[in-house]
């Protein structure tokens, strides 16, 4: 009896093992056929080794490349430098995200930016069949408190334009009347400005690189390529600027550094923008992007649609515009009440009994 029971148990275990083996073979075969197979040896590659390979082939702009390298060096490699790609689990990622705010004291928005870098590395690892799943999926990120944009008033912009060095007065007025990003303003050449038809074309931008160099590259996104109408004040400002600071031919820069050549952001901020803001009584910490917000607020105040504001600013979509500026659209409470009251008033009139004149 005992021998029979033992034999039966062995047979059951053998059958179970055979079924598990066959199931594993079937899964591997299916993944090979569908191109989803991941060699377990790939997952053993150290995170840093793969991340550096990934970073080296990315088509990042200089500023983005610098930020990505800093994210990895300062906040990621200390935690996972020698960890194998496949050994980093969702729980490890969640714990690391929490440490960004608790240990490193990063702001929620910065933590999200650093996380995006790590998430990009793991997404690439999944695409490269290094690991089967992205451990960043469904991670919980710190919430970012929404800050309401407070645009500069017209008088503040006028005062700023008077206080800033004369070579940048036109830059302030052009930024306030077109909503171009700082890099887009710095990247303007004479060929981009059509004073006859009162338009400016955004085809490139300038970004600062290491050691105060500059990089001329494409606009931020595909939607950032755009043509913006110039109001009369912008045309007049450009005429005055080009009279005092002529561009060197069609390829010449509209705005230049005091020593010549394109504007370098940090030099512009330290030597011109911040001192001018202080003289104009503009709050400390206000950057050139405030001119873009000012332009958007003027369009909204004068009844432009979300679609138009989005197109002028070169936003990716209208949702992005609403996310930033929704609080600036005029309050429609009275229009809402009037619309409903009118509808019901019309219905009440229609429902009035008809008087029989014959009676």
């Amino acid at each position: 009896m005992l021998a029979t029971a033992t034999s039966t148990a062995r047979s059951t275990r053998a059958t179970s093992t055979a079924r598990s083996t066959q199931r594993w073979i079937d899964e591997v075969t299916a993944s090979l056929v569908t191109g989803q197979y991941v060699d377990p040896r790939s997952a053993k590659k150290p995170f840093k080794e793969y991340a550096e390979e990934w970073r080296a082939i990315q088509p990042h702009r200089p500023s983005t490349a610098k930020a990505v390298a800093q994210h990895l060096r300062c906040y990621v490699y200390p935690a996972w430098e020698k960890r194998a790609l496949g050994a980093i689990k969702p729980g490890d990622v969640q714990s690391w995200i929490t440490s960004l705010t608790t240990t490193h004291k990063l702001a929620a928005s910065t933590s999200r930016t650093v996380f995006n870098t790590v998430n990009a590395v793991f997404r690439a690892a999944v695409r490269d069949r290094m690991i089967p799943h992205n451990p960043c999926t469904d991670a919980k990120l710190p919430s970012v408190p929404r800050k309401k944009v407070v645009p500069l008033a017209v008088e503040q912009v006028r005062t700023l334009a008077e206080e800033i060095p004369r070579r940048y007065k036109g830059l302030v007025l052009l930024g306030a009347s077109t909503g171009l990003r700082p890099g887009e303003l710095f990247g303007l050449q004479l060929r981009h400005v059509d004073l006859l038809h009162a338009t400016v074309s955004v085809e490139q931008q300038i970004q600062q690189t290491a050691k105060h160099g500059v990089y001329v590259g494409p606009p931020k996104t595909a939607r950032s390529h755009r043509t913006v109408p110039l109001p009369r004040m912008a045309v007049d400002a450009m005429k005055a600027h080009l009279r005092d600071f002529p561009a060197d031919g069609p390829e010449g820069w509209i705005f230049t550094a005091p020593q010549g050549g394109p504007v370098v952001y940090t030099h512009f901020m330290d030597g011109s923008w911040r001192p001018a803001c202080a003289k104009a009584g503009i709050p400390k910490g206000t950057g050139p992007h405030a001119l873009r917000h000012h332009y958007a607020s003027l369009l909204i105040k004068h009844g432009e649609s979300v679609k138009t504001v989005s197109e002028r600013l070169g936003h990716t979509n209208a949702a992005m515009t609403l996310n930033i500026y929704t609080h600036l659209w005029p309050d429609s409470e009275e229009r809402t009440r009037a619309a409903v009251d009118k509808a019901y008033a019309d219905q009440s009139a229609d429902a009035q009994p008809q008087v029989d004149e014959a009676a």
Side-chain angles (χ1 to χ4, degrees):
M1 290 285 294
L2 181 59
T4 301
T6 301
S7 176
T8 301
R10 287 175 179 171
S11 177
T12 301
R13 285 198 298 270
T15 301
S16 176
T17 301
R19 287 175 178 171
S20 298
T21 301
Q22 187 59 50
R23 189 182 304 114
W24 178 82
I25 292 173
D26 292 342
E27 290 174 354
V28 170
T29 302
S31 64
L32 285 169
V33 171
T34 59
Q36 301 297 313
Y37 178 70
V38 175
D39 188 338
R41 292 171 296 183
S42 299
K44 295 179 180 179
K45 175 173 273 192
F47 177 88
K48 181 179 180 179
E49 183 179 339
Y50 179 78
E52 286 298 296
E53 292 173 358
W54 168 84
R55 188 169 67 86
I57 62 173
Q58 299 309 302
H60 289 149
R61 295 186 175 96
S63 59
T64 304
K66 180 180 178 182
V68 166
Q70 182 183 31
H71 295 163
L72 294 171
R73 183 180 69 255
C74 297
Y75 307 114
V76 187
Y77 292 158
W80 300 331
E81 181 173 354
K82 296 180 180 180
R83 289 280 296 275
L85 280 169
I88 300 171
K89 305 302 180 185
D92 299 322
V93 172
Q94 191 63 61
S95 177
W96 169 76
I97 292 171
T98 302
S99 74
L100 293 177
T101 53
T102 58
T103 303
H104 295 286
K105 307 300 181 184
L106 297 183
S109 57
T110 307
S111 295
R112 282 173 169 260
T113 303
V114 175
F115 167 80
N116 288 339
T117 297
V118 170
N119 191 27
V121 173
F122 278 118
R123 284 204 313 268
V126 172
R127 287 196 302 270
D128 288 342
R129 304 286 186 265
M130 303 295 292
I131 53 177
H133 306 291
N134 181 355
C136 292
T137 302
D138 297 328
K140 293 179 173 59
L141 303 175
S143 59
V144 179
R146 180 175 295 181
K147 294 182 180 180
K148 288 187 177 181
V149 170
V150 180
L152 295 175
V154 171
E155 284 308 312
Q156 286 179 302
V157 173
R158 284 177 173 163
T159 305
L160 177 61
E162 293 302 321
E163 294 294 348
I164 206 163
R166 195 162 58 93
R167 71 185 313 109
Y168 297 130
K169 178 178 180 178
L171 185 147
V172 170
L173 296 176
L174 186 63
S177 58
T178 62
L180 268 62
R181 299 176 177 92
E184 294 170 347
L185 289 168
F186 298 154
L188 287 177
Q189 294 174 303
L190 187 60
R191 62 191 175 90
H192 298 134
V193 179
D194 185 346
L195 296 181
L196 179 62
H197 297 95
T199 60
V200 59
S201 299
V202 179
E203 299 176 5
Q204 61 188 30
Q205 66 169 329
I206 281 182
Q207 290 190 333
Q208 185 172 329
T209 60
K211 299 181 180 179
H212 305 289
V214 295
Y215 163 76
V216 182
K220 186 175 182 180
T221 66
R223 289 287 299 274
S224 296
H225 289 266
R226 63 198 187 280
T227 298
V228 182
L230 293 177
R232 170 52 55 186
M233 61 90 78
V235 171
D236 293 342
M238 284 298 92
K239 286 180 178 179
H241 175 79
L242 291 170
R243 181 187 64 242
D244 296 338
F245 303 94
D248 187 16
E251 300 295 322
W253 303 107
I254 296 289
F255 305 109
T256 57
Q259 69 276 15
V263 178
V264 178
Y265 185 81
T266 52
H267 292 169
F268 169 75
M269 291 296 291
D270 295 338
S272 301
W273 179 269
R274 291 192 182 100
C277 284
K279 293 177 183 177
I282 293 174
K284 187 176 181 180
T286 301
H289 216 81
L291 299 174
R292 182 170 166 84
H293 296 322
H294 169 79
Y295 172 73
S297 72
L298 293 182
L299 297 188
I300 293 167
K301 180 179 180 180
H302 290 277
E304 289 290 2
S305 67
V306 177
K307 180 176 181 293
T308 298
V309 177
S310 179
E311 288 176 350
R312 295 289 182 267
L313 295 176
H315 280 165
T316 303
N317 50 51
M320 180 179 180
T321 308
L322 276 175
N323 188 50
I324 300 172
Y325 300 114
T326 186
H327 64 288
L328 296 181
W329 258 270
D331 193 327
S332 61
E333 287 184 2
E334 288 305 320
R335 290 199 300 273
T336 301
R337 294 189 185 101
V340 176
D341 287 341
K342 184 178 185 305
Y344 276 86
D346 291 344
Q347 288 181 8
S348 297
D350 293 341
Q352 291 296 322
Q354 299 296 317
V355 177
D356 188 348
E357 293 183 358

